[in-house]
Amino acid sequence: MEPQDDELIHFETHGGAPLPPAAVEGHVARDGARIWYASYGAGPPVILLHGGLGHSGNWGYQVPALLRRGRRVVLIDSRGHGRSTRDARPYSYELMASDVLAVMDALHLDKAAVVGWSDGACIALILAMTAPSRVEGVFFFACNMDPSGTLEFVPSPVIDRCFSRHAKDYAALSTTPDDFNPFVEAVSLMMRTEPNYQAADLGLIRVPVAIVLGERDEFIKPDHAEYLARSIPNAEMIYLTGVSHFAPLQRPGEFNVAVVNFLDGIGS
């Protein structure tokens, strides 16, 4: 039976599913930061980019599923998140997108599909805009591309449990384990002020894109997701039923089916 954790009770207590042993693991020195990465398996590459305040361990249910499909899976901790460090400059999605390219160069990956969750989705779509020759396609889950796309924040037990887990993981993984509160403040500032892309920018994207949203997402307006799907040429709009912003953890089996179908459809 596939795991189900709609209320994130298991996630808060135990964290994400354990990752398998990596074939390659290391750091790339990039623009004032050390960016952690790991690579698993062999085959057509897919990069998984986690959400804000999280880390690559949040993909524990996805990595085995993609390995079973014959994929090479690459995980990256965004700068300042997880095992990656940062310098004093403000967070920006564009800077984190350039970090992904640095990891791809280190792993000699000319091109890869990208699955992004929340902030990771924003990073993925920026890569599609700025480095299309490196991107096979983007699975864009639960993110906005301008500030108007977010709902007014409403606290909930599910969000609180996710935040609690992020705090524990930050203390366990970060090189600055006591700095969780400043970290949250800095990432939150980026989320409030970025991204700021317009329909004309999105219209220039030429790689395959799926815009994906849980039907109970706590942060993203459905009409914004549909606007993105209309604005990006040939983009597909996918709704995931019964889940929210945390679908990869809540109902990973259903999320993984959507990811695999997208990847198989772009033929990478």
Side-chain angles (χ1 to χ4, degrees):
M1 180 180 293
E2 291 286 355
Q4 185 168 323
D5 189 22
D6 288 357
E7 302 303 315
L8 297 190
I9 293 170
H10 184 276
F11 178 65
E12 180 186 22
T13 304
H14 302 286
L19 294 169
V24 180
E25 182 176 351
H27 288 83
V28 171
R30 171 67 176 67
D31 210 356
R34 296 182 73 245
I35 307 301
W36 178 89
Y37 65 87
S39 178
Y40 305 81
V46 55
I47 299 170
L48 307 185
L49 300 178
H50 63 80
L53 308 182
H55 63 96
S56 291
N58 299 154
W59 292 115
Y61 291 117
Q62 282 66 54
V63 173
L66 290 166
L67 291 176
R68 288 193 295 270
R69 298 291 295 189
R71 293 274 168 181
R72 179 182 182 181
V73 183
V74 175
L75 302 181
I76 300 172
D77 281 353
S78 294
R79 67 170 50 217
H81 294 65
R83 306 159 191 82
S84 293
T85 67
R86 65 176 293 226
D87 57 12
R89 83 187 70 186
Y91 283 101
S92 82
Y93 294 115
E94 288 81 4
L95 184 58
M96 289 192 280
S98 68
D99 294 336
V100 173
L101 293 176
V103 171
M104 291 179 70
D105 291 343
L107 291 173
H108 307 291
L109 293 178
D110 292 332
K111 198 169 192 177
V114 188
V115 175
W117 174 3
S118 196
D119 278 7
C122 183
I123 296 166
L125 210 56
I126 289 170
L127 287 169
M129 284 190 278
T130 61
S133 66
R134 309 294 299 274
V135 177
E136 193 76 32
V138 172
F139 188 92
F140 180 99
F141 174 65
C143 194
N144 60 301
M145 290 304 286
D146 69 66
S148 73
T150 57
L151 295 163
E152 182 179 352
F153 178 71
V154 178
S156 75
V158 170
I159 293 171
D160 289 346
R161 291 184 191 110
C162 185
F163 189 80
S164 171
R165 184 73 246 173
H166 286 338
K168 295 172 188 174
D169 289 349
Y170 184 90
L173 298 174
S174 178
T175 59
T176 56
D178 298 326
D179 288 352
F180 183 68
N181 289 337
F183 163 68
V184 172
E185 291 172 6
V187 173
S188 298
L189 175 62
M190 175 182 68
M191 292 177 177
R192 288 194 302 270
T193 56
E194 298 183 12
N196 288 288
Y197 293 99
Q198 307 300 317
D201 304 311
L202 300 170
L204 299 175
I205 295 172
R206 291 294 181 268
V207 308
V209 174
I211 303 296
V212 189
L213 192 67
E215 67 173 358
R216 296 190 286 109
D217 195 287
E218 299 91 339
F219 301 104
I220 306 301
K221 296 176 181 177
D223 59 354
H224 181 76
E226 293 170 4
Y227 153 74
L228 296 180
R230 291 194 306 271
S231 300
I232 298 169
N234 302 311
E236 179 183 8
M237 181 74 222
I238 300 171
Y239 279 105
L240 301 178
T241 59
V243 292
S244 72
H245 197 74
F246 310 104
L249 299 163
Q250 291 170 320
R251 300 188 188 183
E254 296 171 34
F255 183 84
N256 295 348
V257 167
V259 170
V260 166
N261 287 343
F262 172 73
L263 295 175
D264 289 351
I266 62 176
S268 59

